Amino acid sequence: MTALLTCSMAFSMLQLFLLGALGPRLVDELHVSTTVLGLTTTIGFGTAAVLSPFGGRLVDRIGPRRSLVLLLLVSGGALALIGSAPGTGFLLAAVALGGLPQALANPATNKAILTAVPPARRGAVTGTKQSGVQAGAFAAGLPLAALAGGVGWRVAVWTAAAAAAVVALWAWRALPADPPAPAAPSRFSAVPRGAIAWLTVFSVLLGCGIASVNTYVALFGVRRLGMGATTAAALVAVLGAAGIVGRIGWAKAARPGRAEWLPGLLAAGAVVAAGLLAASLRTAPLVWVAAVAVGVFAVSGNAVSMVLVMQRAGPGRAGQDSALVSAGFFAGFAVGPPLFGVLAETGRYGAGWLLVAAEFAAACAVATAWAVRERRARARAAVTT
């Protein structure tokens, strides 16, 4: 179960990691401009943000098994279309199609955990499956990129598409059958409420900062710290590896009564990480410490958010509530890099990292305010009882 859900999370975003890893080949062979290549991230995450509330509703209606099979088949289809793209328009349309698997990923995997995993193990399974996103980045940046160097980028992307189809068959055979659709489904609302609203706002701010680091840290290493391209790319690998460890560890720690304090703590650590990125302009080796800190604190925040969603979701709303929080995270990913890019275009990376620190600080303020509000509500309830 854990391995399957981790693979599903990896495939949900694999297309965007592949486009980044294969970007130079796409620019040369498809004559795609660097601006259009950057738009693929905005289009992918923007589509996922728009579709997420409806994807969550779909998961609650059809069940996790059918949802995961749909996710993997659509992901494979989008990858196959990217591999067949003759030009820019076709490529962007395929990327937009790939927004649907992103929209389904957290709702479907969270619903599967609630359906088939005992409560005592849900935190650990959630953290591990959330690390699948970083596993997808690793797959795109190493084995698939190496395959592209040997047999061409199209064959590499088609290989990923075939692997998605194989995992879809695995999901259909391994997951328990979906229960019948509820006769009276919960009321649909695209507006998050209560704890879900707080987590959504937190996710928007967290996503803005993480996406900026993911997009620009390697370029920062090359242009301002004098690194070679391969060494700078290793910053992303270090960040991803730290994110895998952090997501698993912090999700295990997110037990009821403690979990609500973790988002604020992790965001505070992310502020320090962004400060280290700014300080690396004067002391270059600090950039490696900063990359580890971003992975351990900022990237891990999303895993804890998903644990909290499962702890707080209303009856029959696990899919919808997961989707609303994910939509906030995707919206942050779509908005953050363009804001940072305005500063990076003029070489103002120090100001850019301070902007990221401000985004993480705002996320910390939102999360801490919510945790304090939750503690006061429990205290009032205890007094009343």
Side-chain angles (χ1 to χ4, degrees), residues 193-219:
R193 302 179 187 280
I196 303 304
W198 287 91
L199 290 170
T200 301
V201 175
F202 167 77
S203 296
V204 171
L205 296 165
L206 189 72
C208 282
I210 293 173
S212 297
V213 177
N214 285 346
T215 303
Y216 288 102
V217 69
L219 191 62

Side-chain angles (χ1 to χ4, degrees), residues 260-261 366-378 380:
E260 60 264 30
W261 295 101
V366 169
T368 303
W370 173 65
V372 170
R373 181 175 177 270
E374 289 287 296
R375 183 176 66 177
R376 290 174 177 170
R378 284 199 306 271
R380 287 194 298 267

Side-chain angles (χ1 to χ4, degrees), residues 61-128:
R61 288 292 294 163
I62 69 175
R65 182 169 77 160
R66 284 190 284 261
S67 298
L68 283 171
V69 171
L70 176 63
L71 178 162
L72 290 160
L73 291 178
V74 174
S75 179
L79 288 166
L81 291 174
I82 289 171
S84 305
T88 299
F90 197 100
L91 176 67
L92 294 179
V95 169
L97 175 63
L100 178 58
Q102 290 176 250
L104 291 172
N106 278 317
T109 53
N110 287 354
K111 192 90 169 180
I113 290 171
L114 288 173
T115 300
V117 177
R121 294 191 59 239
R122 286 174 184 169
V125 174
T126 300
T128 303

Side-chain angles (χ1 to χ4, degrees), residues 124-139:
V125 174
T126 300
T128 303
K129 68 96 173 174
Q130 290 295 125
S131 73
V133 175
Q134 276 66 48
F138 176 83

Side-chain angles (χ1 to χ4, degrees), residues 34 109 181 190 203 232 237 287 302 320 380:
T34 54
T109 53
S203 296
V287 74
N302 184 243
Q320 295 181 58
R380 287 194 298 267

Side-chain angles (χ1 to χ4, degrees), residues 220 225 271-288 290 349-351 353-354:
F220 169 67
L225 303 184
V271 174
V272 175
L276 289 173
L277 285 169
S280 67
L281 284 165
R282 293 183 178 273
T283 308
L286 285 176
V287 74
W288 297 100
Y349 281 96
W353 299 132
L354 291 178

Side-chain angles (χ1 to χ4, degrees), residues 285-353:
L286 285 176
V287 74
W288 297 100
V289 181
V292 172
V294 170
V296 169
F297 294 107
V299 172
S300 302
N302 184 243
V304 174
S305 294
M306 289 298 109
V307 174
L308 282 163
V309 168
M310 286 188 283
Q311 291 174 357
R312 304 304 178 95
R317 287 191 55 89
Q320 295 181 58
D321 289 346
S322 298
L324 291 172
V325 175
S326 295
F329 195 59
F330 295 147
F333 262 72
V335 171
L339 295 177
F340 191 103
V342 172
L343 299 171
E345 188 71 25
T346 57
R348 298 163 61 195
Y349 281 96
W353 299 132

